Amino acid sequence: MNNKVSIKSIASVSPLGIKENEIWQKYLSDEHCLEEREFGEFKAMVAPLAEGAKLEIEKLRVSDQKYKALDDTVLYAMYAARMAMKDAHWSSDDNFGVNMGSSRGATALFESYYEDFLSSGKTETLCSPTTTLGNISSWIAHDLQTKGPEISHSITCSTALHALLNGVAWINSGMTSKFMVGGSEASLTPFTIAQMKALKIYSRETDAYPCKALNPDKLGNTMVLGEGASVACLEKGVSDNAIAIIEGVGCATEVLQHNISISTNAECFQRSMKMALGNTSPSDVDVIVMHAPGTKKGDSSELNAIELVFGNQQPALTTNKWKVGHTFGASGMLSLELGIMMLQKQKFINVPYLNSNKEPEKIRKVMVNAVGFGGNAVSVLLSL
């Protein structure tokens, strides 16, 4: 990475809530945000938005006639973007860029429109524009009145951190000095959960912690879906009032052996973490916020990669998926938010059922990982 980039603000809407203090208090608790819900013919554990967050999203939906037809993925992202822009003290005159993405996109709206089409042979006028991938970034740009570049993409579960990579690249290219980046996911639908169940990766646990992300002793796959959005505002250079500094970024892919495969030692993560480290010594990293989706292969592969990169200098390891579920395209930015909070509060957030994790005396640098189907890994190195 050519130059350091400042994170001026980060905001989110998730099962943890919407306000910084509310989110941090939830992280300090050993309780998770998962609950069982009915989805037609079956039940499943999921992590829905906090009640207060749902109310705010509904207020946004009815605030403008045009917003009533939008999918939740767009509304979640718009709400988080408004908060992030306010906290960064940006204005529309800054003409900042926007790069937002989603893994599943407007899946609830698409499923509804398609069900109507199957029964009637017709579809609604706004079906196409409201279900296209680009509709997240374009609506944010419209809502915030920025005239900067708009980018939308889907790189499965590493979508949000790929947006951050793009923002860093644009800033370091000199083409812009400010970029808003993030991811949004509203995939708690019967069809989406049925897809995950068909892959045999969804949790069937019924005990205190249905998602056992990062637990090496789990007997089966324990992934649980969550929903939410998170948005960060990036600026060129090191700012005095930055909430964190991006010191390094890394990305890598690996050759597919299967549609959802990752190699035993997660070669993509090894390369992305080494790239993010650059000239930084592995011993300088105090915490890694892992992707750790709660699947046996996904968790163990990432752990193997960390051991190969860091050796006996392994940092403290954590993840938030046991608490908020796997939010697919938004998950990397929610992990980044946790990393920033630990840096600011100088408090390590452990996984409650792990007893072997060491707690760092001081948190100076945090690495955040994300990977998606197809072995698209991203790593980000943060400091204050």
Side-chain angles (χ1 to χ4, degrees):
M1 190 168 127
N2 297 335
N3 300 293
K4 294 179 181 180
V5 171
S6 294
I7 302 178
K8 293 298 293 291
S9 66
I10 189 165
S12 65
V13 50
S14 79
L16 299 169
I18 53 178
K19 297 180 180 178
E20 181 182 349
N21 186 59
E22 174 186 24
I23 294 167
W24 183 244
Q25 290 303 313
K26 288 279 185 70
Y27 271 128
L28 293 175
S29 167
D30 286 345
E31 295 182 3
H32 60 71
C33 303
L34 314 183
E35 61 182 61
E36 187 177 61
R37 286 195 171 180
E38 290 190 6
F39 293 89
E41 301 297 319
F42 60 87
K43 294 180 180 179
M45 297 297 296
V46 295
L49 289 192
E51 287 302 319
K54 290 179 188 175
L55 292 174
E56 292 300 316
I57 294 301
E58 288 309 308
K59 289 179 185 177
L60 174 59
R61 191 191 308 275
V62 300
S63 67
D64 189 310
Q65 185 64 32
K66 297 187 292 295
Y67 294 170
K68 293 180 180 180
L70 299 179
D71 186 76
D72 280 348
T73 50
V74 180
L75 296 174
Y76 294 175
M78 284 173 60
Y79 188 87
R82 285 183 178 185
M83 291 195 295
M85 180 178 174
K86 179 181 177 182
D87 291 345
H89 303 290
W90 287 2
S91 73
S92 58
D93 293 334
D94 290 316
N95 288 329
F96 52 88
V98 177
N99 189 173
M100 291 291 297
S102 177
S103 177
R104 313 303 300 183
T107 184
L109 208 54
F110 183 88
E111 289 171 31
S112 175
Y113 280 139
Y114 189 59
E115 186 177 359
D116 291 344
F117 173 73
L118 290 178
S119 62
S120 68
K122 297 179 182 179
T123 189
E124 298 290 336
T125 302
L126 294 178
C127 174
S128 176
T130 57
T131 58
T132 55
L133 178 62
N135 123 98
I136 301 179
S137 287
S138 58
W139 275 109
I140 287 176
H142 161 80
D143 187 60
L144 303 182
Q145 296 294 292
T146 180
K147 298 178 178 62
E150 300 168 22
I151 306 171
S152 299
H153 68 247
S154 176
I155 312 181
T156 60
C157 305
S158 54
T159 294
L161 290 194
H162 270 285
L164 182 144
L165 284 179
N166 286 345
V168 168
W170 274 76
I171 289 171
N172 276 329
S173 74
M175 296 176 69
T176 185
S177 61
K178 298 180 179 181
F179 232 92
M180 177 177 282
V181 299
S184 181
E185 210 69 60
S187 56
L188 303 188
T189 69
F191 185 52
T192 305
I193 294 174
Q195 291 175 65
M196 299 303 108
K197 285 180 172 286
L199 290 170
K200 311 297 183 186
I201 59 177
Y202 214 85
S203 178
R204 289 188 257 178
E205 297 285 340
T206 57
D207 63 11
Y209 295 104
C211 177
K212 292 182 170 56
L214 206 50
N215 185 346
D217 299 323
K218 57 180 171 288
L219 300 178
N221 294 320
T222 65
M223 193 183 83
V224 173
L225 290 191
E227 62 178 351
S230 186
V231 176
C233 292
L234 311 183
E235 284 190 9
K236 180 180 180 180
V238 176
S239 173
D240 290 338
N241 56 356
I243 62 171
I245 303 299
I246 300 172
E247 290 199 354
V249 292
C251 59
T253 58
E254 59 182 53
V255 177
L256 286 174
Q257 301 299 320
H258 184 271
N259 297 51
I260 61 170
S261 69
I262 188 170
S263 58
T264 301
N265 293 323
E267 294 174 8
C268 56
F269 265 139
Q270 291 183 54
R271 297 200 301 272
S272 69
M273 288 189 290
K274 288 177 181 177
M275 186 185 298
L277 282 170
N279 295 323
T280 300
S281 170
S283 62
D284 289 342
V285 180
D286 302 296
V287 176
I288 299 178
V289 183
M290 293 176 57
H291 181 72
T295 63
K296 291 188 70 175
K297 182 67 178 292
D299 290 8
S300 64
S301 296
E302 188 175 0
L303 284 167
N304 290 343
I306 290 169
E307 184 175 349
L308 288 168
V309 172
F310 289 88
N312 59 8
Q313 300 172 320
Q314 182 171 296
L317 307 177
T318 191
T319 180
N320 58 10
K321 291 185 179 63
W322 66 273
K323 182 181 283 283
V324 300
H326 193 349
T327 53
F328 283 164
S331 63
M333 197 60 68
L334 288 172
S335 294
L336 192 89
E337 180 182 58
L338 172 58
I340 292 171
M341 284 184 165
M342 287 190 290
L343 277 168
Q344 292 180 325
K345 311 288 186 181
Q346 285 297 298
K347 169 68 176 174
F348 177 67
I349 300 298
N350 205 349
V351 179
Y353 45 76
L354 298 181
N355 299 317
S356 58
N357 217 349
K358 64 176 183 178
E359 186 163 337
E361 295 180 4
K362 185 173 178 61
I363 302 175
R364 299 158 299 175
K365 296 183 190 295
V366 174
M367 182 171 285
V368 181
N369 282 342
V371 70
F373 288 164
N376 294 294
V378 180
S379 299
V380 180
L381 184 62
L382 301 173
S383 68
L384 284 180

